[in-house]
Amino acid sequence: MSVLRRAKTWEISDSEEENEKKSDISSSQTSTAVSTDSREQPSSPTKRESGPVSALAPPRPDGSGTPSPARKRRSREEVEADREKARERQRAARAQEKEERRQAAEKLRSLRPDSCLRSLTVCVDPALLQQDGSDILLDTLAAFEWRFSIESQQLPHSITWTRDLPQGEEDMSSVEEEQVLLVLCLTDFMDMVISVKTMLDSEEEETEVGSFFGPLLEYLNRDAKKVVTLLVTDAQPDYRANTCGVQYKLGMDNLDIEEVLVYLQLCKNISLVFLTGWQEVTDHVCAVTKALSKRPFKLLTERTELPFCVDGSWASGSRVERDGSGLIQVWSKQIQQLNRVSPAVASTVTAAYASPHLLLQAYQSLGSEEEKRGLLACLIVKSGGKERRIGPEISARIYRCFTSQNPQLVLD
């Protein structure tokens, strides 16, 4: 019974007492270290709240440990407002594009000859109205309903042109054209020829010459871009055909007259036209006016680089490899350059004659011209499920194109 009696008290061995002491010492050291760290470095709220679970959380891409705030969900009104703003921007962009197209169309319309003709003004020097027959010019301009003005010009006895510019194109409202017509009677022209000849013989300064040539040189020195055409009125037909009449009037050698004319044309870029009267002067003024009205539109079309080339895979031509592949496409394109020759017709010709040399040999083998012109007329062209012949017209044009020796020949 004494053996089975339960002990009322636990006996603690010496080793257990030592372990307990060590654990108490380590726990006290740990608490001391934690308190020291807390005094040196203030703990953040996230560290206090995280606990052991936060140490197992994966690192964030930006390196921060703070969670991103929750994305605010937009209301239906805000979404509709954003969509309305986007639609407003699209409508504004379309309106701006439409306005730009309208302005470009108006600019193009203003450059057309009929519109540009209404913006031209013929400026006539008052001194010209003192000559007999000058009223023909004014009556003709009024009949055509062209604008003209009578005002003093920088060059006496001259006719110039001014053109109104479209609004917003440049700061200036009008620009003066380069073309200038100097109208002189035969007597004044003779004085000019004598002055030019005297200057060339004596080699004197150009500013010292007299007659109408002195003001003309000053005018050209002020603006070298001007193109002056000298119209000599009251000239008989023999003056227009040659210089014999001028030689008789001036008493000068024909070689001297030619020297003066060459000097005016080559050195001063002055063209010379002999006219019988003011009717021919009026016709010349009308011709120059119409030419000036066509000039802006021509400059616009000439500014476009290669307008005859269209966009597409063949715009840059057909590529020819070293083995000769691609030559058949070049041969087909060459035939298509003729008017009213379709790709189907060109393919039919190239299928029958694979090279220009073979076609020329076929022409040489025939005897008469009629057979040569009709060589390709019977070839069958298949296009769109239908069959037709090339015909004698296209056959004759292809024959003339490849056999004619005349570079000025019109094929059509």
Side-chain angles (χ1 to χ4, degrees):
M1 296 296 292
S2 60
V3 177
L4 298 176
R5 191 178 53 186
R6 181 178 297 178
K8 297 182 179 179
T9 59
W10 291 94
E11 294 181 358
I12 301 174
S13 63
D14 296 337
S15 60
E16 290 178 354
E17 292 180 356
E18 292 178 356
N19 292 334
E20 290 180 358
K21 291 180 180 179
K22 291 180 181 180
S23 62
D24 293 338
I25 294 172
S26 61
S27 61
S28 63
Q29 291 178 353
T30 304
S31 62
T32 305
V34 169
S35 62
T36 305
D37 293 339
S38 63
R39 286 195 302 270
E40 292 179 355
Q41 298 180 356
S43 61
S44 60
T46 57
K47 291 183 179 179
R48 289 197 301 268
E49 297 173 1
S50 60
V53 179
S54 62
L56 300 178
R60 298 184 178 277
D62 55 354
S64 62
T66 58
S68 61
R71 184 177 179 181
K72 185 179 179 181
R73 187 169 184 177
R74 297 186 303 171
S75 61
R76 181 176 299 179
E77 290 77 7
E78 293 177 349
V79 173
E80 290 295 331
D82 293 343
R83 290 178 180 177
E84 184 64 26
K85 291 180 181 179
R87 286 193 290 268
E88 288 291 339
R89 288 194 296 267
Q90 292 179 358
R91 283 194 292 267
R94 286 195 295 267
Q96 183 179 1
E97 184 180 359
K98 184 178 180 180
E99 180 66 20
E100 291 178 355
R101 290 198 302 267
R102 186 187 65 81
Q103 293 179 359
E106 289 182 356
K107 182 178 180 180
L108 181 62
R109 203 162 34 244
S110 64
L111 295 179
R112 293 188 177 277
D114 52 350
S115 301
C116 190
L117 187 59
R118 291 190 293 268
S119 64
L120 284 174
T121 302
V122 184
C123 305
V124 184
D125 191 76
L128 294 176
L129 301 181
Q130 300 177 3
Q131 300 182 15
D132 296 336
S134 59
D135 55 340
I136 299 177
L137 175 61
L138 302 182
D139 295 341
T140 304
L141 296 178
F144 287 155
E145 296 182 354
W146 292 351
R147 296 192 306 178
F148 65 92
S149 64
I150 302 173
E151 55 185 8
S152 299
Q153 303 296 317
Q154 297 181 1
L155 182 62
H157 294 78
S158 66
I159 301 175
T160 60
W161 288 264
T162 58
R163 179 169 55 88
D164 296 339
L165 297 177
Q167 295 182 357
E169 181 175 346
E170 294 183 9
D171 297 336
M172 301 179 296
S173 59
S174 61
V175 62
E176 188 175 353
E177 298 290 344
E178 299 175 355
Q179 296 293 329
V180 179
L181 298 181
L182 178 59
V183 184
L184 297 179
C185 62
L186 185 59
T187 304
D188 296 333
F189 173 70
M190 292 177 181
D191 296 338
M192 178 183 291
V193 172
I194 294 175
S195 300
V196 175
K197 182 57 180 175
T198 304
M199 181 195 67
L200 295 177
D201 292 341
S202 60
E203 297 182 356
E204 62 182 0
E205 296 292 335
E206 294 181 349
T207 56
E208 298 179 0
V209 297
S211 70
F212 283 91
F213 191 58
L216 178 58
L217 290 179
E218 295 178 1
Y219 181 76
L220 293 177
N221 291 333
R222 285 195 302 266
D223 193 351
K225 295 182 180 179
K226 295 296 183 181
V227 180
V228 179
T229 301
L230 182 57
L231 304 181
V232 182
T233 61
D234 300 332
Q236 301 300 322
D238 55 347
Y239 297 118
R240 302 170 63 183
N242 49 51
T243 60
C244 295
V246 180
Q247 175 186 358
Y248 174 76
K249 289 287 185 179
L250 300 179
M252 298 172 60
D253 188 10
N254 191 22
L255 185 60
D256 297 336
I257 301 297
E258 295 293 341
E259 182 182 359
V260 172
L261 298 181
V262 169
Y263 172 79
L264 292 176
Q265 294 178 0
L266 298 184
C267 299
K268 299 302 177 183
N269 195 23
I270 299 175
S271 303
L272 183 64
V273 180
F274 288 101
L275 303 174
T276 57
W278 270 93
Q279 183 59 52
E280 294 188 359
V281 173
T282 302
D283 296 341
H284 192 88
V285 172
C286 294
V288 174
T289 305
K290 292 180 180 179
L292 291 177
S293 66
K294 300 176 182 178
R295 184 180 181 184
F297 191 77
K298 287 185 177 180
L299 291 177
L300 181 64
T301 55
E302 290 175 358
R303 194 179 299 120
T304 306
E305 297 182 358
L306 302 179
F308 53 85
C309 289
V310 299
D311 295 333
S313 60
W314 63 273
S316 59
S318 299
R319 183 179 179 85
V320 179
E321 304 295 341
R322 291 185 177 182
D323 57 354
S325 58
L327 287 174
I328 191 68
Q329 286 81 8
V330 176
W331 169 223
S332 177
K333 296 275 173 98
Q334 186 177 2
I335 301 176
Q336 293 180 40
Q337 291 178 356
L338 299 174
N339 290 336
R340 300 185 299 278
V341 175
S342 62
V345 174
S347 300
T348 303
V349 175
T350 54
Y353 303 95
S355 67
H357 183 66
L358 295 177
L359 180 59
L360 292 177
Q361 285 183 345
Y363 283 139
Q364 294 174 359
S365 63
L366 300 177
S368 62
E369 289 290 326
E370 185 177 357
E371 294 177 349
K372 295 179 180 180
R373 286 194 298 268
L375 175 64
L376 306 176
C378 296
L379 296 180
I380 303 299
V381 180
K382 297 180 180 180
S383 177
K386 298 180 180 180
E387 295 184 356
R388 61 181 179 86
R389 299 181 185 274
I390 289 181
E393 181 183 355
I394 296 180
S395 177
R397 273 196 292 127
I398 295 176
Y399 168 72
R400 289 195 300 268
C401 177
F402 288 97
T403 60
S404 176
Q405 302 296 327
N406 181 15
Q408 306 296 333
L409 178 64
V410 178
L411 297 179
D412 289 342

